[in-house]
Amino acid sequence: MQVLCLLCWAVLLNLVQACPESCECGEKYGFQIADCAYRDLEAVPLGFPANVTTLSLSANKLPGLPEGAFREVPLLQSLWLAHNEIRSVAAGALAPLGHLKSLDLSHNLISEFAWSDLHNLSALQLLKMDSNELASIPRDAFRSLHALRSLQLNHNRLHALAEGTFAPLTALSHLQINDNPFDCTCGIVWFKTWALATAVSIPEQDNIACTSPHVLKGTPLRRLPPLPCSAPSVQLSYQPSQDGAELRPGFVLALHCDVDGQPAPQLHWHIHTPGGTVEIASPNVGADGRALPGALAASGRPRFQAFANGSLLIPDFGKLEEGTYSCLATNELGSAESSVNVALATPGEGGEDVLGRRFHGKAVEGKGCYTVDNEVQPSGPEDNVVIIYLSRAGAPEAATAAEGKPAQPLSGLLLLGQSLLVVFLACF
Ligand SMILES: *[C@@H]1O[C@H](CO)[C@@H](O)[C@H](O)[C@H]1NC(C)=O
Ligand SMILES: *[C@@H]1O[C@H](CO)[C@@H](O)[C@H](O)[C@H]1NC(C)=O
Ligand SMILES: *[C@@H]1O[C@H](CO)[C@@H](O)[C@H](O)[C@H]1NC(C)=O
C-alpha cells in the first residue's frame, strides 16, 4: 500500500514537474537542468518543463535537428549537442532560442546548417561547431553575435572565408579555426592580415594552413608569401571611335572592355534596352562569332557577341539596340563596372537616349553635317559615357545612294567634367 502510494506521489510529481522518461530534470545553482546525455536518443525527446535553462543531449544518436526541435524550451541558455550524428540543422531549429548563451554542436557531421538562425541568437557567448563537415560560412552568418566570446570552427572543411566574416564579433576573444583545408588564393589574404593584427587569441596557428594550390600545401597561413592579387578594373572603349566614324544603317557597334585584375576576373555584360534586359556571361561566342556550346542561343550567331578578348560586337546596330551597355568584372577581391549609354539619332530629327534625355542634330552651315546641342549632359557614374550616333535614316535606298559618293565623316569630342560625351557625326 505504502509502495503504491509512493508511486502515486511520483506520478503526481511528474505531472507538476514534467521530464522526459530518458532524461533527468532538476535544479542546480538556480538553473533548471535537463540531462539527457549518453542515452542513444535518436530524436529530441518531448515533455520538458518549460523553464529548462540547460539541456544536455550530448553523446546520443540524433541524426539532425528539425524545425521546432526545441519549441518546448524557449528559455534555454545552454544547449549541449556534441558527439551526435547530426548532419543537418534545419531553419527554425535554433532561431526560437533567443536566450541561448552557449551552444555546442561539435563532433557531429553537420554539412547543412541554417546560418540565418544565428541572426536571432544575439545573446550567444560560446559557439562550438568544431569537428563537423562545414564547407563554407556565409559572409553575414555572425552579424548579430555581438556578445560572442568564443568561436570554434576547427576541423571542418572550410576552404575559403569571406572577407569580413568575423568583423561583427566585437566581443570575440577566442577563435579556433585550425585544421581546415584552406585554398590559399587571393581570397584568403585578408584573413592572414586580419589574424596577424587582431587581439583575438587564435591558437594552433601552424595548423591553419593551405591545402591548395599544390605549391603552397602545408604552408601556414601566417607564412603565406605575398600573392599577386588585385581587384578588377575595367575600361570601356568603343568603335567606331571618334576618328573617321562613317555611320551607315547596319553598322557594327564594337565595345571593348579592357579588364585588369588578378586572378583573372570573370566578365559579364549587362545590356538594358527599352525592349528588355540581357545578361551575358562572357564569352558567349568563339573567335569565329559562332555561339559556344552551352550558350543560350537558338541561332548560330547571338545578337550580342561577347568574345573572350573582352569585345562585344553588335552587328546591324539599330534602334532596338539603343540602351545602356555595362561590363562587369568580378574576382574574389571585388568587382568593377563601366557603362556606356548608346543612342541613335537621325540627322535633323534628333532623338532621345534611354535615360529620356532629348538631343537633336543641327545642320552645320553649308556642310550637311550635324552637331549636337550641349544640353545633353552625361549623368550617373563618373565613368558613364554617352555615345550618340547620328546616322542616316534607315531607308535602304538612302544607304545605297550614300555609297556612291565618298562620305566625309566628321566627329566631335566634348569633355564634360569627368565624363565623356562622344558625338559621332555622319556627313552625307
Ligand atoms: C521550474 O518550474 C517548476 C515547475 O514546473 C518549478 O518547480 C521550479 O521551481 C521552476 N524553476 C525555476 C528556476 O523557475
Ligand atoms: C527570436 O527569439 C525571440 C526570443 O528572444 C523569439 O520570441 C522569436 O520568436 C525568435 N524568432 C524566430 C524567428 O524564431
Ligand atoms: C576580339 O576578337 C574579335 C573576334 O575575333 C575581333 O573582332 C575583335 O577585334 C577583337 N578585339 C580586340 C580588341 O582585339
Side-chain angles (χ1 to χ4, degrees):
M1 192 65 183
Q2 255 182 346
V3 172
L4 256 177
C5 254
L6 259 176
L7 259 175
C8 299
W9 192 230
V11 166
L12 252 173
L13 248 181
N14 243 334
L15 281 179
V16 175
Q17 163 116 53
C19 189
E21 216 174 273
S22 44
C23 307
E24 278 168 35
C25 300
E27 205 179 316
K28 216 175 189 179
Y29 315 118
F31 290 103
Q32 202 65 31
I33 297 169
D35 182 2
C36 324
Y38 296 97
R39 301 292 206 287
D40 289 335
L41 294 174
E42 288 175 20
V44 178
L46 291 173
F48 292 107
N51 62 3
V52 166
T53 52
T54 300
L55 171 57
S56 175
L57 284 158
S58 304
N60 279 295
K61 293 187 169 161
L62 302 181
L65 299 175
E67 189 211 339
F70 305 104
R71 196 176 280 130
E72 284 189 336
V73 284
L75 302 177
L76 272 191
Q77 293 181 22
S78 301
L79 177 56
W80 312 111
L81 288 157
H83 294 281
N84 274 280
E85 293 162 15
I86 302 171
R87 288 174 190 274
S88 78
V89 177
L94 299 171
L97 303 177
H99 301 275
L100 208 58
K101 290 182 179 163
S102 305
L103 174 59
D104 186 353
L105 286 163
S106 63
H107 296 276
N108 276 290
L109 302 164
I110 301 171
S111 58
E112 275 170 60
F113 186 74
W115 293 98
S116 57
D117 272 29
L118 292 185
H119 298 335
N120 206 31
L121 305 190
S122 51
L124 207 59
Q125 296 176 1
L126 167 74
L127 177 57
K128 278 171 65 94
M129 298 188 79
D130 53 287
S131 304
N132 274 292
E133 316 251 310
L134 299 171
S136 66
I137 302 173
R139 185 186 302 267
D140 70 341
F142 305 134
R143 69 164 189 232
S144 305
L145 306 186
H146 304 303
L148 197 73
R149 293 205 282 251
S150 178
L151 175 60
Q152 300 186 25
L153 293 165
N154 44 304
H155 289 97
N156 271 289
R157 300 193 172 198
L158 301 173
H159 52 85
L161 290 169
E163 181 159 8
T165 299
F166 306 117
L169 303 175
T170 44
L172 195 69
S173 64
H174 179 91
L175 171 66
Q176 211 158 339
I177 197 159
N178 50 284
D179 294 285
N180 277 289
F182 287 117
D183 188 15
C184 289
T185 61
C186 294
I188 205 82
V189 173
W190 77 270
F191 181 67
K192 172 196 170 183
T193 312
W194 179 85
L196 286 173
T198 185
V200 175
S201 126
I202 307 176
E204 295 204 48
Q205 293 217 6
D206 280 341
N207 294 328
I208 306 175
C210 310
T211 295
S212 65
H214 191 70
V215 286
L216 291 172
K217 197 174 163 75
T219 306
L221 228 57
R222 61 173 168 181
R223 301 215 192 87
L224 193 64
L227 300 177
C229 300
S230 61
S233 65
V234 291
Q235 208 177 2
L236 201 51
S237 56
Y238 31 86
Q239 266 181 342
S241 63
Q242 66 268 32
D243 289 322
E246 179 183 341
L247 307 179
R248 303 225 176 125
F251 72 91
V252 177
L253 176 67
L255 300 175
H256 185 69
C257 191
D258 207 353
V259 183
D260 241 334
Q262 184 75 358
Q266 285 281 327
L267 187 61
H268 281 86
W269 291 94
H270 293 212
I271 303 166
H272 299 279
T273 65
T277 297
V278 182
E279 308 248 341
I280 299 170
S282 181
N284 68 351
V285 292
D288 59 356
R290 301 218 145 257
L292 290 177
L296 291 165
S299 63
R301 283 176 197 276
R303 185 77 199 90
F304 304 101
Q305 303 173 350
F307 292 90
N309 62 7
S311 290
L312 181 76
L313 299 191
I314 307 123
D316 288 321
F317 190 90
K319 272 289 187 196
L320 289 176
E321 284 75 39
E322 279 186 325
T324 305
Y325 289 75
S326 310
C327 74
L328 175 72
T330 310
N331 71 11
E332 49 198 304
L333 289 127
S335 64
E337 185 170 1
S338 187
S339 302
V340 63
N341 197 349
V342 186
L344 199 62
T346 308
E349 287 172 26
E352 196 174 79
D353 73 6
V354 273
L355 305 179
R357 296 172 302 202
R358 286 286 314 167
F359 61 86
H360 44 273
K362 232 194 271 175
V364 173
E365 263 178 67
K367 285 199 163 176
C369 292
Y370 294 84
T371 61
V372 165
D373 291 353
N374 299 3
E375 300 155 20
V376 185
Q377 303 281 327
S379 64
E382 283 188 337
D383 59 351
N384 193 31
V385 179
V386 179
I387 310 176
I388 296 159
Y389 288 101
L390 289 176
S391 77
R392 283 209 64 141
E397 67 272 18
T400 325
E403 258 158 43
K405 59 175 177 143
Q408 294 257 304
L410 178 86
S411 65
L413 175 67
L414 309 171
L415 268 175
L416 294 168
Q418 292 274 19
S419 306
L420 275 175
L421 171 61
V422 183
V423 183
F424 293 97
L425 302 177
C427 302
F428 299 99

